[in-house]
Amino acid sequence: MPDQIFAGRTVVVTGGGTGIGRATALAFAAQGATTVIICGRRKERLDQVAAEHPAVVPVAADVTEEAGAEALAHEVRERGGALDVLVHSAGVFRFTPLGALGPDLVREVLDTNLVGPLIVTRHLLPYLLAQRGNIVLVSSRAGHNPGPGQSVYAASKAGVHSLTRSWAAELAAHGVRVNAVAPGFVRTEAFEANGLTPQQVEGLFDAVTAGIPLGRVADVDDITPWITELARPTASLVTGQIVTVDGGMDTGADPAGQEG
């Protein structure tokens, strides 16, 4: 049985119905969190996660809207008004080659990945301050090492990195820590959401694996331990950090051991 380090704590996880958010919510619940409030746009997905652990509370909400952020704040108030951990996992990945960019696509990516965390954090900040809680943002290695065809997505994640460092500096005096986890390639629904077939996804993963020194694409369970670790009381001196979890891609190492 996992240790109960988060016993008595209240956690909010945006994007908690799928992928990294779902796994993160269940990890906090398994480690003793009394209440794990998850949100997302698809109520049926949230309900499925809530059915897996009694500590999980689903809230159907759009984090890009003021009403969605207020729905989360209302649930926190209903649960006693304490918030110990806020995890921003809601996000959208879109292939964004320059020639295909349009205003609707740009707004979708920026609103979800960058504006959403701003709106939600502003609404929940009083409850975090009261608890001297902490924030963990789920970013991407693309935020500091972008590739072709992902300019808007990468720009949104670079913005998340900036939020992380700026908020860490701003909130340190209040005892609130802010950190981020920046995954590389992770097996989630994001690729199918961009229209790739399962066979195409596997072909993509096979191709990128050649550039990953540790030799494999991540699963969500490779990412969630870093999120919970940054939120632990034992990380009380860690703030303003962006932890990259990408199998060594950022090292620039040649996985074949060849000089190039």
Side-chain angles (χ1 to χ4, degrees):
M1 180 179 180
D3 66 55
Q4 303 295 288
I5 191 70
F6 295 106
R9 304 294 209 280
T10 296
V11 179
V12 167
V13 180
T14 70
T18 59
I20 293 171
R22 172 188 174 278
T24 297
L26 292 173
F28 276 108
Q31 294 178 47
T34 302
T35 303
V36 182
I37 301 168
I38 61 171
C39 77
R41 295 175 177 141
R42 293 179 286 180
K43 183 178 183 300
E44 68 281 3
R45 291 296 187 92
L46 301 173
D47 289 342
Q48 289 169 6
V49 182
E52 295 188 48
H53 199 287
V56 178
V57 178
V59 176
D62 183 344
V63 298
T64 69
E65 302 287 345
E66 293 281 342
E70 178 50 42
L72 281 174
H74 173 78
E75 193 65 42
V76 171
R77 289 193 296 271
E78 289 292 300
R79 303 275 167 174
L83 180 58
D84 300 282
V85 183
L86 169 59
V87 178
H88 287 293
S89 185
V92 60
F93 171 76
R94 295 287 182 263
F95 293 116
T96 54
L98 183 57
L101 288 181
D104 290 343
L105 176 61
V106 172
R107 291 191 185 101
E108 179 195 19
V109 174
L110 294 181
D111 282 354
T112 304
N113 296 353
L114 192 58
V115 177
L118 284 161
I119 294 173
V120 170
T121 302
R122 178 170 58 82
H123 278 267
L124 298 183
L125 185 57
Y127 313 108
L128 283 165
L129 292 175
Q131 293 296 108
R132 298 173 69 88
N134 69 90
I135 303 169
V136 183
L137 298 103
V138 178
S139 185
S140 167
R141 73 180 294 271
H144 59 266
N145 198 344
Q150 51 181 238
S151 58
V152 176
Y153 175 76
S156 74
K157 293 304 187 177
V160 169
H161 292 179
S162 183
L163 291 183
T164 301
R165 295 189 174 106
S166 180
W167 289 351
E170 181 176 343
L171 299 177
H174 302 280
V176 174
R177 300 185 298 107
V178 187
N179 295 287
V181 174
F185 286 88
V186 185
R187 293 182 180 275
T188 69
E189 298 175 352
F191 299 95
E192 285 88 346
N194 279 269
L196 298 184
T197 66
Q199 293 76 21
Q200 288 172 321
V201 173
E202 288 307 314
L204 172 63
F205 287 165
D206 287 344
V208 301
T209 296
I212 301 175
L214 288 181
R216 67 179 178 87
V217 170
D219 295 310
V220 292
D221 290 338
D222 293 308
I223 310 303
T224 54
W226 293 98
I227 297 171
T228 57
E229 188 65 32
L230 287 170
R232 283 174 168 246
T234 50
S236 61
L237 205 61
V238 180
T239 196
Q241 301 305 302
I242 298 163
V243 178
T244 302
V245 186
D246 68 353
M249 294 179 75
D250 269 358
T251 66
D254 180 355
Q258 301 171 352
E259 295 181 0

